[in-house]
Amino acid sequence: FARHQIKMRIAYEYNNTEIVIDKWPKLAPYIEVEGPTKEEIVETVKMLGYSETDAIVINTDDVYLKEGIDIYAEEYSDLSFDADEQLEVKKYMEF
Protein backbone atom coordinates (compact mmCIF):
# COMPACT_ATOMS: atom_id res chain seq x y z
CA PHE A 1 0.00 0.00 0.00
CA ALA A 2 1.09 3.56 -0.54
CA ARG A 3 2.16 5.71 2.38
CA HIS A 4 1.26 9.38 2.40
CA GLN A 5 3.03 11.66 4.85
CA ILE A 6 3.14 15.39 5.18
CA LYS A 7 5.46 17.26 7.52
CA MET A 8 6.32 20.80 8.51
CA ARG A 9 9.98 21.76 8.50
CA ILE A 10 11.50 25.06 9.56
CA ALA A 11 15.27 25.27 9.16
CA TYR A 12 17.89 27.69 10.43
CA GLU A 13 21.62 27.80 9.78
CA TYR A 14 23.98 28.28 12.71
CA ASN A 15 27.74 28.25 12.23
CA ASN A 16 28.33 25.10 10.21
CA THR A 17 25.13 23.31 11.29
CA GLU A 18 21.46 23.31 10.47
CA ILE A 19 18.84 23.53 13.22
CA VAL A 20 15.55 22.07 12.07
CA ILE A 21 12.15 22.10 13.75
CA ASP A 22 10.11 19.20 12.41
CA LYS A 23 6.40 18.58 12.93
CA TRP A 24 5.01 15.29 11.70
CA PRO A 25 1.41 14.09 12.01
CA LYS A 26 0.61 12.69 15.46
CA LEU A 27 3.97 13.84 16.91
CA ALA A 28 4.90 16.91 18.93
CA PRO A 29 7.36 19.22 17.16
CA TYR A 30 10.97 18.27 17.75
CA ILE A 31 14.41 19.72 16.99
CA GLU A 32 17.03 18.15 14.76
CA VAL A 33 20.59 19.38 14.56
CA GLU A 34 22.47 18.36 11.44
CA GLY A 35 26.11 19.04 10.75
CA PRO A 36 29.31 17.68 9.26
CA THR A 37 30.93 16.61 12.54
CA LYS A 38 29.82 15.38 15.93
CA GLU A 39 31.76 18.19 17.59
CA GLU A 40 29.89 20.89 15.62
CA ILE A 41 26.55 19.24 16.36
CA VAL A 42 27.35 19.01 20.09
CA GLU A 43 28.40 22.69 20.13
CA THR A 44 25.05 23.69 18.60
CA VAL A 45 23.11 21.41 20.96
CA LYS A 46 24.81 23.11 23.91
CA MET A 47 24.16 26.58 22.45
CA LEU A 48 20.46 25.65 22.37
CA GLY A 49 20.59 24.93 26.10
CA TYR A 50 20.73 21.14 25.96
CA SER A 51 23.48 18.81 27.09
CA GLU A 52 25.23 16.26 24.93
CA THR A 53 23.32 13.51 26.75
CA ASP A 54 20.01 15.11 25.68
CA ALA A 55 20.91 14.46 22.04
CA ILE A 56 20.02 11.14 20.46
CA VAL A 57 20.54 9.70 17.00
CA ILE A 58 17.19 8.42 15.75
CA ASN A 59 15.23 8.34 12.51
CA THR A 60 11.62 9.46 12.13
CA ASP A 61 10.28 5.90 11.91
CA ASP A 62 11.77 5.20 15.35
CA VAL A 63 10.39 8.47 16.78
CA TYR A 64 6.94 7.19 15.81
CA LEU A 65 7.66 3.77 17.34
CA LYS A 66 8.66 5.45 20.64
CA GLU A 67 5.15 6.98 20.60
CA GLY A 68 3.57 3.58 19.95
CA ILE A 69 2.80 4.29 16.28
CA ASP A 70 3.86 1.78 13.61
CA ILE A 71 3.68 3.90 10.47
CA TYR A 72 3.91 0.77 8.34
CA ALA A 73 0.67 -0.60 9.78
CA GLU A 74 -2.29 -0.38 7.41
CA GLU A 75 -4.18 1.96 9.75
CA TYR A 76 -1.49 4.62 9.13
CA SER A 77 -1.25 4.22 5.35
CA ASP A 78 -2.51 7.82 5.00
CA LEU A 79 -0.62 9.64 7.74
CA SER A 80 -1.75 13.25 7.43
CA PHE A 81 -2.26 16.14 9.82
CA ASP A 82 -5.68 16.17 11.47
CA ALA A 83 -7.62 19.45 11.66
CA ASP A 84 -6.08 20.52 14.99
CA GLU A 85 -2.56 19.80 13.74
CA GLN A 86 -3.24 21.77 10.56
CA LEU A 87 -4.13 24.80 12.69
CA GLU A 88 -0.98 24.30 14.77
CA VAL A 89 1.21 24.11 11.66
CA LYS A 90 -0.47 27.18 10.20
CA LYS A 91 0.35 29.08 13.42
CA TYR A 92 4.05 28.16 13.12
CA MET A 93 4.17 29.17 9.48
CA GLU A 94 2.63 32.61 10.01
CA PHE A 95 5.53 34.24 11.84
Side-chain angles (χ1 to χ4, degrees):
F1 59 91
R3 284 179 42 213
H4 179 249
Q5 290 182 326
I6 299 172
K7 69 176 179 176
M8 176 204 75
R9 176 169 267 221
I10 301 170
Y12 303 93
E13 292 185 24
Y14 175 77
N15 287 343
N16 204 25
T17 61
E18 184 177 43
I19 301 166
V20 178
I21 302 169
D22 273 345
K23 170 69 177 110
W24 291 81
K26 303 193 183 323
L27 295 177
Y30 62 91
I31 298 171
E32 291 182 23
V33 178
E34 300 171 357
T37 68
K38 179 181 178 180
E39 291 77 21
E40 290 170 304
I41 292 169
V42 169
E43 177 186 326
T44 300
V45 165
K46 288 180 179 179
M47 182 277 307
L48 291 169
Y50 297 97
S51 70
E52 184 174 352
T53 58
D54 291 325
I56 59 172
V57 177
I58 190 170
N59 66 40
T60 304
D61 293 0
D62 290 333
V63 174
Y64 273 106
L65 283 175
K66 283 182 70 168
E67 295 298 320
I69 299 171
D70 179 0
I71 62 171
Y72 296 100
E74 189 172 337
E75 67 187 286
Y76 296 110
S77 63
D78 181 13
L79 192 56
S80 300
F81 290 122
D82 63 27
D84 290 338
E85 289 176 314
Q86 288 178 22
L87 290 173
E88 181 182 5
V89 168
K90 184 179 178 190
K91 178 178 65 176
Y92 284 110
M93 303 307 287
E94 288 177 345
F95 64 88

